[in-house]
Amino acid sequence: MNGNSLSIIDNRTGRSYELPITDGTIRAMDLRQIKSLNDDFGLMSYDPGLSNTASTRSAITFVDGERGILRYRGYPIEELAERSSYLETAYLVIFGELPTAAQLATWECEISRHSLLHTNIVELIEAFRYDGHPMSVFISAIASLSTLYPDSRRVVDPVNRRLQVERIIAKAATIGAFTYRHNQGMPFNHPDDELSYIGNLLRMMFRMTEAKYRPNPVLERALNILFILHADHEQNCGTNAMRVIGSSQADPYSALAGAAAALYGPLHGAANEAVLLQLEEIGSPSKVGAFIESVKREERRLMGFGHRVYKSYDPRCRIIKRVAEEVFEVTGRNPLVDVALELERIALQDDYFVSRKLYPNVDFYSGLIYRAMKLPSSLFTVMFAIPRSCGWVAHWLEMLTDPEQKLSRPRQIYSGSPERSYVPVGERRPSPAPDAPGA
Ligand code: ACO
Protein backbone atom coordinates (compact mmCIF):
# COMPACT_ATOMS: atom_id res chain seq x y z
CA MET A 1 0.00 0.00 0.00
CA ASN A 2 1.32 3.45 -0.97
CA GLY A 3 1.81 5.83 2.01
CA ASN A 4 0.45 8.69 -0.08
CA SER A 5 -2.89 7.14 -0.80
CA LEU A 6 -6.36 6.66 0.58
CA SER A 7 -7.77 3.14 1.00
CA ILE A 8 -11.52 2.91 0.63
CA ILE A 9 -13.73 -0.11 1.26
CA ASP A 10 -17.13 0.15 -0.37
CA ASN A 11 -19.41 -1.61 2.12
CA ARG A 12 -22.10 -1.97 -0.55
CA THR A 13 -19.90 -4.32 -2.56
CA GLY A 14 -17.00 -5.24 -0.26
CA ARG A 15 -14.58 -3.99 -2.93
CA SER A 16 -11.55 -1.96 -1.91
CA TYR A 17 -9.87 0.89 -3.76
CA GLU A 18 -6.68 2.85 -3.37
CA LEU A 19 -6.78 6.49 -4.41
CA PRO A 20 -3.57 8.55 -4.71
CA ILE A 21 -3.28 11.65 -2.49
CA THR A 22 -1.54 14.64 -4.06
CA ASP A 23 -1.19 18.01 -2.35
CA GLY A 24 -3.60 16.90 0.37
CA THR A 25 -6.34 16.11 -2.12
CA ILE A 26 -7.84 13.15 -3.89
CA ARG A 27 -9.08 13.57 -7.44
CA ALA A 28 -12.87 13.65 -7.49
CA MET A 29 -12.78 11.75 -10.80
CA ASP A 30 -10.98 8.87 -9.04
CA LEU A 31 -14.20 8.27 -7.12
CA ARG A 32 -16.02 7.40 -10.33
CA GLN A 33 -14.51 3.92 -10.44
CA ILE A 34 -16.36 3.13 -7.18
CA LYS A 35 -19.63 1.60 -8.31
CA SER A 36 -22.28 -0.49 -6.59
CA LEU A 37 -23.30 -2.01 -9.94
CA ASN A 38 -21.10 -2.23 -13.00
CA ASP A 39 -23.36 0.09 -14.99
CA ASP A 40 -24.04 2.72 -12.35
CA PHE A 41 -22.56 6.22 -12.70
CA GLY A 42 -19.94 5.88 -9.98
CA LEU A 43 -19.40 7.74 -6.72
CA MET A 44 -19.42 11.54 -6.61
CA SER A 45 -18.69 13.94 -3.77
CA TYR A 46 -21.46 16.28 -2.57
CA ASP A 47 -20.23 19.73 -1.61
CA PRO A 48 -22.83 22.52 -1.58
CA GLY A 49 -21.05 25.87 -1.57
CA LEU A 50 -17.83 24.07 -2.59
CA SER A 51 -16.57 24.40 0.98
CA ASN A 52 -14.12 21.52 0.69
CA THR A 53 -13.40 21.34 -3.01
CA ALA A 54 -10.23 22.61 -4.68
CA SER A 55 -11.37 23.58 -8.16
CA THR A 56 -7.97 24.63 -9.42
CA ARG A 57 -4.27 24.95 -8.75
CA SER A 58 -3.41 28.60 -8.36
CA ALA A 59 -0.11 30.43 -7.89
CA ILE A 60 -1.66 33.84 -7.26
CA THR A 61 -2.78 34.25 -3.66
CA PHE A 62 -2.00 32.26 -0.53
CA VAL A 63 -4.44 32.38 2.37
CA ASP A 64 -3.97 30.54 5.66
CA GLY A 65 -7.30 31.11 7.35
CA GLU A 66 -6.31 29.52 10.64
CA ARG A 67 -3.23 31.70 11.10
CA GLY A 68 -4.60 34.85 9.45
CA ILE A 69 -2.00 34.96 6.65
CA LEU A 70 -2.53 36.55 3.22
CA ARG A 71 0.15 36.77 0.52
CA TYR A 72 0.06 37.77 -3.14
CA ARG A 73 2.59 35.80 -5.19
CA GLY A 74 4.45 35.08 -1.94
CA TYR A 75 4.63 38.68 -0.70
CA PRO A 76 2.93 39.33 2.68
CA ILE A 77 -0.04 41.66 2.41
CA GLU A 78 1.37 43.82 5.22
CA GLU A 79 4.54 44.60 3.21
CA LEU A 80 2.65 45.34 0.03
CA ALA A 81 0.19 47.59 1.86
CA GLU A 82 3.07 49.51 3.44
CA ARG A 83 5.42 49.78 0.46
CA SER A 84 3.67 49.17 -2.85
CA SER A 85 1.27 51.10 -5.06
CA TYR A 86 -2.00 49.62 -6.29
CA LEU A 87 -0.84 49.50 -9.90
CA GLU A 88 2.44 47.85 -8.95
CA THR A 89 0.56 45.26 -6.88
CA ALA A 90 -1.90 44.73 -9.74
CA TYR A 91 1.07 43.98 -12.03
CA LEU A 92 2.41 41.52 -9.45
CA VAL A 93 -0.96 39.80 -9.02
CA ILE A 94 -1.60 39.59 -12.76
CA PHE A 95 1.84 38.77 -14.13
CA GLY A 96 3.45 36.99 -11.18
CA GLU A 97 6.47 39.22 -10.39
CA LEU A 98 7.02 42.74 -9.14
CA PRO A 99 7.80 44.95 -12.18
CA THR A 100 11.19 46.52 -12.79
CA ALA A 101 11.20 50.32 -12.92
CA ALA A 102 10.92 50.19 -16.73
CA GLN A 103 8.12 47.62 -16.68
CA LEU A 104 6.23 49.65 -14.10
CA ALA A 105 6.57 52.85 -16.13
CA THR A 106 5.26 51.07 -19.26
CA TRP A 107 2.40 49.48 -17.32
CA GLU A 108 1.35 52.80 -15.76
CA CYS A 109 1.49 54.44 -19.17
CA GLU A 110 -0.62 51.67 -20.77
CA ILE A 111 -3.24 51.88 -18.04
CA SER A 112 -3.39 55.65 -18.29
CA ARG A 113 -3.78 55.40 -22.09
CA HIS A 114 -6.84 53.14 -21.75
CA SER A 115 -8.57 55.09 -19.00
CA LEU A 116 -10.90 57.11 -21.28
CA LEU A 117 -14.39 55.73 -21.91
CA HIS A 118 -16.03 55.53 -25.31
CA THR A 119 -18.94 57.97 -25.46
CA ASN A 120 -21.33 55.00 -25.88
CA ILE A 121 -20.45 53.86 -22.35
CA VAL A 122 -20.73 57.39 -20.99
CA GLU A 123 -24.19 57.67 -22.56
CA LEU A 124 -25.13 54.28 -21.20
CA ILE A 125 -24.24 55.36 -17.66
CA GLU A 126 -26.23 58.56 -18.15
CA ALA A 127 -29.24 56.56 -19.32
CA PHE A 128 -29.70 54.92 -15.93
CA ARG A 129 -31.92 56.48 -13.29
CA TYR A 130 -29.73 58.69 -11.10
CA ASP A 131 -30.58 56.59 -8.02
CA GLY A 132 -30.18 53.19 -9.68
CA HIS A 133 -27.86 51.13 -7.49
CA PRO A 134 -24.27 51.99 -8.50
CA MET A 135 -23.34 48.29 -8.61
CA SER A 136 -26.09 47.63 -11.17
CA VAL A 137 -24.76 50.49 -13.28
CA PHE A 138 -21.15 49.30 -12.86
CA ILE A 139 -22.02 45.71 -13.85
CA SER A 140 -23.98 46.87 -16.90
CA ALA A 141 -21.26 49.25 -18.07
CA ILE A 142 -18.56 46.61 -17.69
CA ALA A 143 -20.63 44.06 -19.64
CA SER A 144 -21.26 46.65 -22.36
CA LEU A 145 -17.53 47.03 -23.02
CA SER A 146 -17.76 43.79 -25.00
CA THR A 147 -19.93 45.59 -27.56
CA LEU A 148 -17.10 48.06 -28.19
CA TYR A 149 -14.29 45.53 -28.16
CA PRO A 150 -15.51 42.47 -30.06
CA ASP A 151 -11.84 41.48 -30.48
CA SER A 152 -12.00 40.49 -26.80
CA ARG A 153 -13.70 37.25 -27.86
CA ARG A 154 -10.34 35.99 -29.17
CA VAL A 155 -9.41 34.71 -25.73
CA VAL A 156 -6.88 32.22 -27.07
CA ASP A 157 -4.57 35.01 -28.28
CA PRO A 158 -2.14 36.09 -25.52
CA VAL A 159 -1.40 39.52 -27.05
CA ASN A 160 -5.10 40.18 -27.30
CA ARG A 161 -5.65 39.02 -23.72
CA ARG A 162 -3.06 41.49 -22.44
CA LEU A 163 -4.81 44.33 -24.27
CA GLN A 164 -8.13 43.45 -22.63
CA VAL A 165 -6.47 43.25 -19.22
CA GLU A 166 -5.10 46.78 -19.62
CA ARG A 167 -8.50 48.04 -20.73
CA ILE A 168 -10.22 46.42 -17.75
CA ILE A 169 -7.85 47.77 -15.09
CA ALA A 170 -8.00 51.26 -16.63
CA LYS A 171 -11.70 51.48 -17.38
CA ALA A 172 -12.95 49.90 -14.15
CA ALA A 173 -11.79 53.04 -12.29
CA THR A 174 -13.35 55.45 -14.79
CA ILE A 175 -16.63 53.52 -14.85
CA GLY A 176 -16.68 53.45 -11.03
CA ALA A 177 -16.05 57.21 -10.82
CA PHE A 178 -18.65 58.04 -13.49
CA THR A 179 -21.17 55.82 -11.74
CA TYR A 180 -20.67 57.90 -8.60
CA ARG A 181 -20.92 61.23 -10.43
CA HIS A 182 -24.10 60.16 -12.18
CA ASN A 183 -25.55 59.04 -8.85
CA GLN A 184 -24.77 62.50 -7.44
CA GLY A 185 -26.08 64.35 -10.49
CA MET A 186 -22.67 65.86 -11.17
CA PRO A 187 -20.81 66.27 -14.48
CA PHE A 188 -18.13 63.73 -15.28
CA ASN A 189 -14.42 64.47 -14.78
CA HIS A 190 -12.38 62.85 -17.50
CA PRO A 191 -9.06 61.18 -16.58
CA ASP A 192 -5.91 63.22 -16.09
CA ASP A 193 -2.70 61.33 -16.79
CA GLU A 194 -0.59 63.59 -14.58
CA LEU A 195 -1.95 61.80 -11.51
CA SER A 196 -1.41 58.31 -10.12
CA TYR A 197 -4.13 55.70 -10.71
CA ILE A 198 -5.54 56.37 -7.25
CA GLY A 199 -5.05 60.14 -7.45
CA ASN A 200 -6.83 60.15 -10.78
CA LEU A 201 -9.72 58.13 -9.39
CA LEU A 202 -10.08 60.62 -6.53
CA ARG A 203 -10.01 63.44 -9.06
CA MET A 204 -12.61 61.82 -11.30
CA MET A 205 -14.84 61.35 -8.25
CA PHE A 206 -14.34 64.52 -6.26
CA ARG A 207 -13.10 67.37 -8.48
CA MET A 208 -15.59 70.23 -8.42
CA THR A 209 -14.50 73.52 -10.01
CA GLU A 210 -10.77 73.41 -9.27
CA ALA A 211 -8.66 73.82 -12.41
CA LYS A 212 -5.92 71.70 -10.85
CA TYR A 213 -7.32 69.10 -8.48
CA ARG A 214 -4.70 67.69 -6.12
CA PRO A 215 -5.77 64.71 -4.01
CA ASN A 216 -5.21 64.83 -0.27
CA PRO A 217 -2.09 62.66 0.26
CA VAL A 218 -3.55 60.93 3.35
CA LEU A 219 -6.71 59.96 1.48
CA GLU A 220 -4.70 58.90 -1.57
CA ARG A 221 -2.48 56.70 0.60
CA ALA A 222 -5.52 55.24 2.39
CA LEU A 223 -7.27 54.39 -0.87
CA ASN A 224 -4.06 52.94 -2.25
CA ILE A 225 -3.85 50.61 0.77
CA LEU A 226 -7.53 49.67 0.56
CA PHE A 227 -7.11 48.83 -3.13
CA ILE A 228 -4.06 46.66 -2.44
CA LEU A 229 -5.96 44.81 0.30
CA HIS A 230 -8.89 44.17 -2.05
CA ALA A 231 -6.84 43.20 -5.11
CA ASP A 232 -7.33 39.45 -4.78
CA HIS A 233 -8.50 36.79 -2.39
CA GLU A 234 -8.11 33.45 -4.16
CA GLN A 235 -11.23 31.39 -4.93
CA ASN A 236 -13.92 33.63 -3.43
CA CYS A 237 -17.45 33.76 -4.82
CA GLY A 238 -16.76 36.52 -7.37
CA THR A 239 -13.51 34.98 -8.58
CA ASN A 240 -15.15 31.61 -8.88
CA ALA A 241 -17.84 33.25 -11.04
CA MET A 242 -15.10 34.80 -13.22
CA ARG A 243 -13.49 31.43 -13.69
CA VAL A 244 -16.77 29.62 -14.33
CA ILE A 245 -17.94 32.12 -16.96
CA GLY A 246 -14.45 32.40 -18.45
CA SER A 247 -14.23 28.62 -18.74
CA SER A 248 -16.78 28.78 -21.58
CA GLN A 249 -14.34 31.13 -23.38
CA ALA A 250 -16.77 34.04 -23.03
CA ASP A 251 -15.10 37.43 -23.47
CA PRO A 252 -13.51 38.88 -20.31
CA TYR A 253 -15.97 41.79 -20.01
CA SER A 254 -18.93 39.42 -19.82
CA ALA A 255 -17.05 37.23 -17.34
CA LEU A 256 -16.04 40.23 -15.25
CA ALA A 257 -19.61 41.54 -15.18
CA GLY A 258 -20.62 38.12 -13.80
CA ALA A 259 -17.88 38.26 -11.18
CA ALA A 260 -19.00 41.76 -10.16
CA ALA A 261 -22.60 40.53 -9.96
CA ALA A 262 -21.47 37.81 -7.55
CA LEU A 263 -19.65 40.43 -5.49
CA TYR A 264 -22.86 42.48 -5.28
CA GLY A 265 -24.51 40.05 -2.85
CA PRO A 266 -24.59 41.04 0.85
CA LEU A 267 -22.91 37.80 1.94
CA HIS A 268 -19.93 38.76 -0.22
CA GLY A 269 -18.76 42.22 -1.35
CA ALA A 270 -21.90 44.15 -0.53
CA ALA A 271 -21.32 43.33 3.13
CA ASN A 272 -19.43 46.67 3.39
CA GLU A 273 -22.63 48.51 2.49
CA ALA A 274 -24.68 46.30 4.83
CA VAL A 275 -22.24 46.99 7.72
CA LEU A 276 -22.69 50.73 7.42
CA LEU A 277 -26.47 50.42 7.29
CA GLN A 278 -26.31 48.15 10.33
CA LEU A 279 -24.11 50.60 12.26
CA GLU A 280 -26.51 53.43 11.40
CA GLU A 281 -29.44 51.30 12.54
CA ILE A 282 -27.76 50.54 15.89
CA GLY A 283 -26.93 54.23 16.24
CA SER A 284 -25.06 54.28 19.56
CA PRO A 285 -22.70 52.07 21.58
CA SER A 286 -25.34 51.71 24.30
CA LYS A 287 -27.58 49.78 21.89
CA VAL A 288 -24.92 47.27 20.84
CA GLY A 289 -25.74 44.75 23.60
CA ALA A 290 -29.38 44.41 22.51
CA PHE A 291 -28.31 44.11 18.88
CA ILE A 292 -25.84 41.33 19.69
CA GLU A 293 -28.60 39.46 21.53
CA SER A 294 -30.78 39.60 18.39
CA VAL A 295 -27.89 38.16 16.38
CA LYS A 296 -27.52 35.34 18.91
CA ARG A 297 -31.23 34.62 18.63
CA GLU A 298 -30.41 34.24 14.90
CA GLU A 299 -32.84 36.96 13.89
CA ARG A 300 -30.06 38.52 11.81
CA ARG A 301 -26.38 38.23 10.98
CA LEU A 302 -23.71 40.55 12.22
CA MET A 303 -22.55 41.92 8.86
CA GLY A 304 -18.80 42.27 8.41
CA PHE A 305 -18.22 39.31 10.71
CA GLY A 306 -17.29 35.77 9.74
CA HIS A 307 -15.48 34.39 6.73
CA ARG A 308 -15.48 31.12 4.86
CA VAL A 309 -11.69 30.85 5.10
CA TYR A 310 -10.48 33.05 7.97
CA LYS A 311 -11.08 31.37 11.26
CA SER A 312 -8.90 33.84 13.11
CA TYR A 313 -8.57 37.58 12.61
CA ASP A 314 -8.72 38.73 8.95
CA PRO A 315 -5.26 40.34 8.42
CA ARG A 316 -6.79 42.92 6.06
CA CYS A 317 -9.09 44.14 8.83
CA ARG A 318 -6.14 44.86 11.14
CA ILE A 319 -4.52 47.07 8.47
CA ILE A 320 -7.78 48.82 7.58
CA LYS A 321 -8.43 49.67 11.22
CA ARG A 322 -5.08 51.47 11.38
CA VAL A 323 -5.67 53.27 8.08
CA ALA A 324 -9.10 54.37 9.31
CA GLU A 325 -7.51 56.24 12.21
CA GLU A 326 -5.19 58.08 9.76
CA VAL A 327 -8.17 59.04 7.58
CA PHE A 328 -10.21 60.28 10.56
CA GLU A 329 -7.34 62.66 11.43
CA VAL A 330 -8.13 64.43 8.16
CA THR A 331 -11.88 63.98 7.87
CA GLY A 332 -12.91 63.98 11.52
CA ARG A 333 -14.10 60.99 13.46
CA ASN A 334 -17.42 59.44 12.56
CA PRO A 335 -19.39 58.55 15.74
CA LEU A 336 -20.27 55.21 14.11
CA VAL A 337 -16.66 54.14 14.72
CA ASP A 338 -17.51 53.86 18.41
CA VAL A 339 -20.47 51.64 17.56
CA ALA A 340 -18.19 49.43 15.44
CA LEU A 341 -15.53 49.23 18.15
CA GLU A 342 -18.14 48.32 20.75
CA LEU A 343 -19.63 45.67 18.46
CA GLU A 344 -16.20 44.16 17.95
CA ARG A 345 -15.36 44.32 21.67
CA ILE A 346 -18.56 42.60 22.77
CA ALA A 347 -18.58 40.03 19.97
CA LEU A 348 -14.97 39.01 20.56
CA GLN A 349 -15.71 38.08 24.16
CA ASP A 350 -19.03 36.38 23.52
CA ASP A 351 -19.04 32.61 23.27
CA TYR A 352 -21.53 32.66 20.35
CA PHE A 353 -18.94 34.37 18.14
CA VAL A 354 -15.81 32.88 19.69
CA SER A 355 -17.01 29.28 19.39
CA ARG A 356 -17.97 29.82 15.75
CA LYS A 357 -14.67 31.60 15.06
CA LEU A 358 -16.43 34.74 13.87
CA TYR A 359 -14.09 37.72 13.61
CA PRO A 360 -14.35 41.05 11.76
CA ASN A 361 -13.62 40.66 8.06
CA VAL A 362 -12.30 43.08 5.44
CA ASP A 363 -15.71 44.72 5.12
CA PHE A 364 -16.19 45.61 8.77
CA TYR A 365 -14.17 48.87 8.80
CA SER A 366 -13.71 49.70 5.10
CA GLY A 367 -17.16 51.30 4.86
CA LEU A 368 -16.29 53.71 7.67
CA ILE A 369 -13.36 54.98 5.61
CA TYR A 370 -15.50 55.38 2.51
CA ARG A 371 -18.16 57.16 4.54
CA ALA A 372 -15.48 59.47 5.94
CA MET A 373 -14.61 60.28 2.30
CA LYS A 374 -18.30 61.21 1.94
CA LEU A 375 -19.20 58.33 -0.35
CA PRO A 376 -22.77 56.99 -0.18
CA SER A 377 -22.95 53.44 1.18
CA SER A 378 -24.40 52.23 -2.13
CA LEU A 379 -21.03 52.97 -3.73
CA PHE A 380 -18.95 50.88 -1.32
CA THR A 381 -19.18 47.68 -3.32
CA VAL A 382 -18.09 49.52 -6.46
CA MET A 383 -15.02 50.61 -4.47
CA PHE A 384 -14.39 46.92 -3.84
CA ALA A 385 -15.04 45.86 -7.45
CA ILE A 386 -12.56 48.32 -9.01
CA PRO A 387 -9.45 46.84 -7.34
CA ARG A 388 -10.81 43.29 -7.35
CA SER A 389 -10.89 43.53 -11.15
CA CYS A 390 -7.15 42.88 -11.02
CA GLY A 391 -7.65 39.60 -9.14
CA TRP A 392 -10.45 38.62 -11.51
CA VAL A 393 -8.32 39.09 -14.62
CA ALA A 394 -5.35 37.34 -12.98
CA HIS A 395 -7.51 34.27 -12.34
CA TRP A 396 -9.02 34.50 -15.81
CA LEU A 397 -5.53 34.45 -17.37
CA GLU A 398 -4.41 31.62 -15.11
CA MET A 399 -7.51 29.58 -15.90
CA LEU A 400 -7.17 30.04 -19.66
CA THR A 401 -3.54 28.95 -19.66
CA ASP A 402 -3.98 25.98 -17.32
CA PRO A 403 -4.04 22.79 -19.42
CA GLU A 404 -6.00 20.98 -16.70
CA GLN A 405 -8.91 23.43 -16.75
CA LYS A 406 -11.99 22.75 -18.81
CA LEU A 407 -15.56 23.97 -19.13
CA SER A 408 -16.89 24.35 -15.60
CA ARG A 409 -19.86 22.10 -15.25
CA PRO A 410 -20.64 20.48 -11.88
CA ARG A 411 -22.87 17.48 -11.27
CA GLN A 412 -26.03 17.29 -9.19
CA ILE A 413 -27.99 14.80 -7.15
CA TYR A 414 -31.37 14.77 -8.83
CA SER A 415 -34.09 15.06 -6.19
CA GLY A 416 -37.10 15.75 -8.40
CA SER A 417 -40.06 13.72 -9.51
CA PRO A 418 -39.56 10.31 -11.13
CA GLU A 419 -40.77 9.98 -14.74
CA ARG A 420 -44.46 10.85 -15.16
CA SER A 421 -46.84 11.45 -18.06
CA TYR A 422 -48.02 14.83 -19.32
CA VAL A 423 -51.47 15.77 -17.93
CA PRO A 424 -53.79 17.95 -20.09
CA VAL A 425 -54.44 21.34 -18.45
CA GLY A 426 -58.13 20.67 -17.72
CA GLU A 427 -57.31 17.51 -15.76
CA ARG A 428 -54.65 18.98 -13.42
CA ARG A 429 -55.09 19.30 -9.67
CA PRO A 430 -53.80 22.46 -7.91
CA SER A 431 -50.23 22.11 -6.73
CA PRO A 432 -48.11 24.35 -4.42
CA ALA A 433 -46.78 27.49 -6.08
CA PRO A 434 -43.44 26.71 -7.73
CA ASP A 435 -41.61 29.31 -5.63
CA ALA A 436 -42.91 27.84 -2.37
CA PRO A 437 -41.58 24.28 -2.23
CA GLY A 438 -43.12 22.32 0.61
CA ALA A 439 -45.99 24.83 0.93
N1 ACO B 1 -23.35 36.65 12.25
C1 ACO B 1 -23.90 35.70 13.03
N2 ACO B 1 -23.69 34.38 12.89
C2 ACO B 1 -22.89 34.01 11.88
C3 ACO B 1 -22.28 34.94 11.02
C4 ACO B 1 -22.52 36.32 11.24
N3 ACO B 1 -21.96 37.25 10.48
N4 ACO B 1 -21.53 34.29 10.11
C5 ACO B 1 -21.67 32.99 10.37
N5 ACO B 1 -22.49 32.82 11.45
C6 ACO B 1 -22.85 31.54 12.11
C7 ACO B 1 -23.85 30.76 11.29
O1 ACO B 1 -25.16 31.06 11.67
C8 ACO B 1 -23.45 29.34 11.63
O2 ACO B 1 -23.94 29.05 12.92
P1 ACO B 1 -24.44 27.55 13.26
O3 ACO B 1 -23.21 26.71 13.17
O4 ACO B 1 -25.03 27.65 14.62
O5 ACO B 1 -25.46 27.22 12.20
C9 ACO B 1 -21.93 29.41 11.75
O6 ACO B 1 -21.65 30.76 12.13
C10 ACO B 1 -21.21 29.09 10.46
O7 ACO B 1 -21.73 29.93 9.44
P2 ACO B 1 -21.82 29.54 7.92
O8 ACO B 1 -22.86 30.40 7.28
O9 ACO B 1 -21.97 28.06 7.77
O10 ACO B 1 -20.38 29.92 7.43
P3 ACO B 1 -19.96 30.24 5.96
O11 ACO B 1 -18.51 29.96 5.87
O12 ACO B 1 -20.85 29.61 4.97
O13 ACO B 1 -20.25 31.83 5.89
C11 ACO B 1 -20.10 34.10 5.53
C12 ACO B 1 -19.32 32.78 5.63
C13 ACO B 1 -21.13 34.01 4.39
C14 ACO B 1 -19.11 35.22 5.18
C15 ACO B 1 -20.81 34.38 6.86
O14 ACO B 1 -19.87 34.46 7.91
C16 ACO B 1 -21.66 35.66 6.82
O15 ACO B 1 -22.80 35.61 6.38
N6 ACO B 1 -21.08 36.82 7.28
C17 ACO B 1 -21.81 38.08 7.20
C18 ACO B 1 -21.69 38.67 5.80
C19 ACO B 1 -20.28 39.18 5.53
O16 ACO B 1 -19.70 39.92 6.31
N7 ACO B 1 -19.77 38.82 4.33
C20 ACO B 1 -18.47 39.29 3.87
C21 ACO B 1 -17.47 38.19 3.86
S1 ACO B 1 -15.90 38.79 3.34
C22 ACO B 1 -16.10 38.95 1.68
O17 ACO B 1 -16.83 38.22 1.03
C23 ACO B 1 -15.36 39.97 1.01
Side-chain angles (χ1 to χ4, degrees), residues 19-20 67 122 148 183 278 280 345 356 359 380 386 421:
L19 309 188
R67 293 191 290 155
V122 179
L148 296 169
N183 177 271
Q278 209 162 62
E280 282 171 349
R345 189 186 71 77
R356 289 171 177 78
Y359 296 90
F380 295 176
I386 299 169
S421 293

Side-chain angles (χ1 to χ4, degrees), residues 12 15 20 26 34 48 50 82 85 87 94 153 188 190 207 219 230 294 309 318 341 346 351 364 388 391 413 438:
R12 299 170 303 177
R15 280 192 217 140
I26 57 162
I34 304 175
L50 304 177
E82 191 55 41
S85 70
L87 268 196
I94 295 168
R153 298 188 72 193
F188 300 131
H190 291 280
R207 177 181 164 266
L219 300 189
H230 285 89
S294 72
V309 179
R318 190 172 286 124
L341 289 170
I346 295 193
D351 187 56
F364 193 64
R388 181 53 61 83
I413 302 169

Side-chain angles (χ1 to χ4, degrees), residues 266-269 271 295 298 300-308 311 316 352-353 356 358 361-363 384:
L267 296 189
H268 190 17
V295 172
E298 303 193 350
R300 61 213 307 170
R301 285 201 163 194
L302 176 51
M303 302 311 283
F305 257 67
H307 197 275
R308 174 63 60 79
K311 299 303 171 193
R316 299 169 297 179
Y352 178 93
F353 297 91
R356 289 171 177 78
L358 300 172
N361 59 47
V362 67
D363 288 325
F384 189 156

